[in-house]
Amino acid sequence: MPSGGLRIGTRASPLALAQAREMARLLAEAGHPGADLVPMRTTGDKITDRPLIAAGGKGLFTKEIDEALLSGEVDLAVHSAKDMPTRLPDGLIIAACLEREDVRDAFLSPVARTLRDLPLGARLGTSSLRRKALALRLRPDLEVVDLRGNVETRLRKLGEGIADATLLASAGLRRLGLIDRATSLIDVADWLPASGQGAIAIVVREDSPTRAIVAAIDHAATSTALAAERAFLTVLDGSCRTPIGALAELDGDGLRFRGIIVKPDGSAAHDVARSGSIADAAALGSDAGAELARRGGADFFSTG
């Protein structure tokens, strides 16, 4: 570890930097001041001419940072948990999570209060297959157009009229102080978020002393919920190519889990629920994923 302190690998977007600074603040409070941010431009940031699913989907926003972590260029990585691949590169581990923010999706539109209120045939801008599939499940008349970029870019494009509405993670808007831009928030009872949405994961080398350092700032409830949601995704081989929603919620020593898979065109969906002890979080998620894999069948996500 360098004398200047821990080196934190992060994307260079305003939201990612805000998340990394929050982690550095918590580390300082735990007795490890002087952390240095190492911003990086990832493959996902570089691809602007085509949908991310055409380039491989999940992991595109973490690949370069994880490579820098494995090579020793940085000591830890800060990731939005929903951007992480279901299987981390060998030698890396999620060592801690920060306390989860609001898990809901936010609806933003200058022409309607909610998704249901959009005019017939309105254009919904999103690059998320989950959001597209859930939206078409409710409103098959919508025209979905690709809308990419960081939060500020997507807000600008919405203002330019590229789409009549868009959907963003409430957590990101809150962390950037932009939640007032949301027209409404979508209740999780009707619309499950992405696995890990609102959670910030801290990834380290499995054999690194940094693992013990970051464990001191772990928010145990968030880590437990994330374990269930990622186990669910792993069974389903979840990626940006597969519209999947998942949410684990803790209540004392208990955990409630809900998951959903949706056909990309919104024409069919299967959902599942589990409850049990927090000690069985990953097992509950895995079991729920296995049930949906059986019910959906091998070709459920096929668009052919």
Side-chain angles (χ1 to χ4, degrees), residues 32-254:
H32 299 279
D36 299 314
L37 302 191
V38 183
M40 301 179 194
R41 196 159 177 248
T42 66
T43 300
D45 297 312
K46 297 171 187 174
I47 297 173
T48 59
D49 60 342
R50 63 192 190 279
L52 289 178
I53 56 171
K58 271 188 182 293
L60 295 176
F61 290 111
T62 62
K63 180 176 180 288
E64 283 78 5
I65 301 171
D66 287 342
E67 289 174 348
L69 183 55
L70 285 168
S71 71
E73 183 182 341
V74 297
D75 301 299
L76 62 153
V78 183
H79 295 316
S80 292
K82 69 182 180 65
D83 292 335
M84 296 171 64
T86 53
R87 293 177 177 84
L88 293 180
D90 289 344
L92 299 185
I93 188 171
I94 298 175
C97 289
L98 304 192
E99 184 173 3
R100 199 171 200 173
E101 247 291 0
D102 190 344
V103 301
R104 292 174 292 180
D105 273 336
F107 175 78
L108 298 90
S109 174
V111 302
R113 181 67 185 169
T114 70
L115 186 72
R116 294 181 186 276
D117 296 333
L118 281 170
L120 189 70
R123 293 163 301 154
L124 176 68
T126 182
S127 60
S128 161
L129 276 190
R130 175 188 60 88
R131 289 170 177 150
K132 175 183 176 180
L134 287 172
L136 291 175
R137 186 183 181 209
L138 293 174
R139 290 286 307 271
D141 62 288
L142 294 177
E143 176 189 354
V144 180
V145 297
D146 190 53
L147 189 67
R148 286 202 48 231
N150 60 35
V151 171
E152 294 86 348
T153 298
R154 281 182 276 176
L155 289 174
R156 175 179 55 78
K157 289 180 177 179
L158 181 64
E160 292 171 352
I162 292 174
D164 298 304
T166 191
L167 297 158
L168 297 172
S170 170
L173 291 172
R174 291 183 189 280
R175 290 181 178 126
L176 289 170
L178 296 172
I179 192 60
D180 62 325
R181 302 290 294 273
T183 309
S184 60
L185 299 176
I186 307 179
D187 196 312
V188 294
D190 305 314
W191 183 285
L192 286 176
S195 169
Q197 185 157 307
I200 298 170
I202 306 170
V203 177
V204 302
R205 292 184 296 278
E206 205 163 2
D207 59 354
S208 169
T210 309
R211 183 173 177 176
I213 293 173
V214 300
I217 64 170
D218 179 49
H219 188 261
T222 299
S223 290
T224 299
L226 185 61
E229 293 169 21
R230 285 180 60 80
F232 175 73
L233 270 191
T234 299
V235 170
L236 292 166
D237 195 24
S239 71
C240 284
R241 299 174 185 271
T242 47
I244 298 173
L247 180 62
E249 298 175 292
L250 276 62
D251 183 9
D253 293 332

Side-chain angles (χ1 to χ4, degrees), residues 12-24:
S13 72
L15 176 56
L17 290 171
Q19 293 175 171
R21 291 189 190 104
E22 172 64 9
M23 198 203 68

